[in-house]
Amino acid sequence: DVKVTQSSRYLVKRTGEKVFLECVQDMDHENMFWYRQDPGLGLRLIYFSYDVKMKEKGDIPEGYSVSREKKERFSLILESASTNQTSMYLCASIQRGTSLYEQYFGPGTRLTVT
Amino acid sequence: SQELEQSPQSLIVQEGKNLTINCTSSKTLYGLYWYKQKYGEGLIFLMMLQKGGEEKSHEKITAKLDEKKQQSSLHITASQPSHAGIYLCGADPISGNTPLVFGKGTRLSVIA
């Protein structure tokens, strides 16, 4: 059974802390994505990666950075957490290069910054 | 940039009733995806539509793609409490590997 796993389901951090959200997929997918989901705003893309050590900014990259040192792992980093980064964070991966593909999502991490 | 508009934003139906959720794109659709999200959890892929007129079904859920209208509809027959959740549509902005664009979701509640 294919899986995208995220390191935590729930996380509470304080303002100013450095936060790491980890995502691991076991499907050998090239493409990986980080989204945040907020009520009334839907899913918004933060960063994505097409390959190891490769990253591209999405729609709302400010305040975030990412790391992809290995194909299966894509990390989202909040350098200095702020209360407006309280959100649901979703990681996803996609197989590249085929006409039919599905985007697999992790279960999400609900982050609260106090 | 492409935008997907879903309607309605939220929906409450009585168990056993049929319902339809629509997803309309501001640009040409090259692939349309439907996902379901249970409250507070990640998204689960339901189905993908690629060709105009294509229709797919999964259990009691049917999705159709109208290329000319740049629209997809998701229809649930004889709704059950297990159908409750948030339904999102996603689309490829262009053919290829660019990230998906998502609608804001439709929150479905099914009451007994």
Side-chain angles (χ1 to χ4, degrees), chain A:
Chain A
D1 196 18
V2 295
K3 276 188 179 176
V4 178
T5 57
Q6 293 183 228
S7 50
S8 305
R9 291 297 300 274
Y10 300 95
L11 208 54
V12 180
K13 295 292 182 180
R14 294 192 176 184
T15 302
E17 277 192 82
K18 190 169 185 176
V19 182
F20 292 87
L21 302 182
E22 303 286 342
C23 175
V24 177
Q25 51 94 3
D26 64 0
M27 296 165 283
D28 203 35
H29 287 173
E30 291 85 0
N31 302 330
M32 296 187 74
F33 308 84
W34 274 107
Y35 298 90
R36 63 176 284 177
Q37 185 180 30
D38 301 286
L41 297 176
L43 277 170
R44 292 180 292 168
L45 181 65
I46 305 171
Y47 267 97
F48 59 97
S49 169
Y50 287 152
D51 205 343
V52 174
K53 296 190 185 294
M54 185 275 180
K55 59 187 178 185
E56 291 285 344
K57 293 180 180 180
D59 300 321
I60 50 165
E62 295 79 20
Y64 303 93
S65 62
V66 289
S67 172
R68 186 134 182 234
E69 297 296 318
K70 293 184 178 181
K71 191 176 183 180
E72 67 271 16
R73 186 181 298 270
F74 192 33
S75 303
L76 180 69
I77 305 159
L78 286 67
E79 296 292 340
S80 178
S82 62
T83 54
N84 63 15
Q85 292 179 310
T86 292
S87 185
M88 176 72 148
Y89 289 89
L90 292 165
C91 172
S93 69
I94 294 182
Q95 179 67 52
R96 185 175 67 201
T98 56
S99 58
L100 289 173
Y101 57 87
E102 303 172 358
Q103 184 163 170
Y104 290 88
F105 282 84
T109 296
R110 187 167 292 280
L111 172 67
T112 302
V113 183
T114 61

Side-chain angles (χ1 to χ4, degrees), chain B residues 11-69:
Chain B
L11 193 56
I12 302 174
V13 299
Q14 199 160 18
E15 185 176 355
K17 296 293 185 183
N18 302 336
L19 64 108
T20 299
I21 298 169
N22 291 307
C23 175
T24 303
S25 172
S26 60
K27 294 188 178 182
T28 302
L29 284 168
Y30 290 96
L32 194 288
Y33 305 76
W34 282 101
Y35 299 85
K36 179 187 174 184
Q37 183 181 29
K38 290 186 179 179
Y39 300 122
E41 297 184 8
L43 278 67
I44 298 171
F45 173 79
L46 293 176
M47 58 191 85
M48 180 181 74
L49 304 166
Q50 281 196 311
K51 301 175 185 177
E54 187 173 9
E55 181 175 320
K56 287 188 177 178
S57 293
H58 174 70
E59 298 178 346
K60 293 186 178 180
I61 301 175
T62 301
K64 299 179 185 179
L65 179 63
D66 186 331
E67 252 180 3
K68 290 182 181 178
K69 290 184 179 178

Side-chain angles (χ1 to χ4, degrees), chain B residues 80-93:
Chain B
Q80 301 169 356
S82 60
H83 288 128
I86 300 172
Y87 289 83
L88 291 96
C89 61
D92 291 322

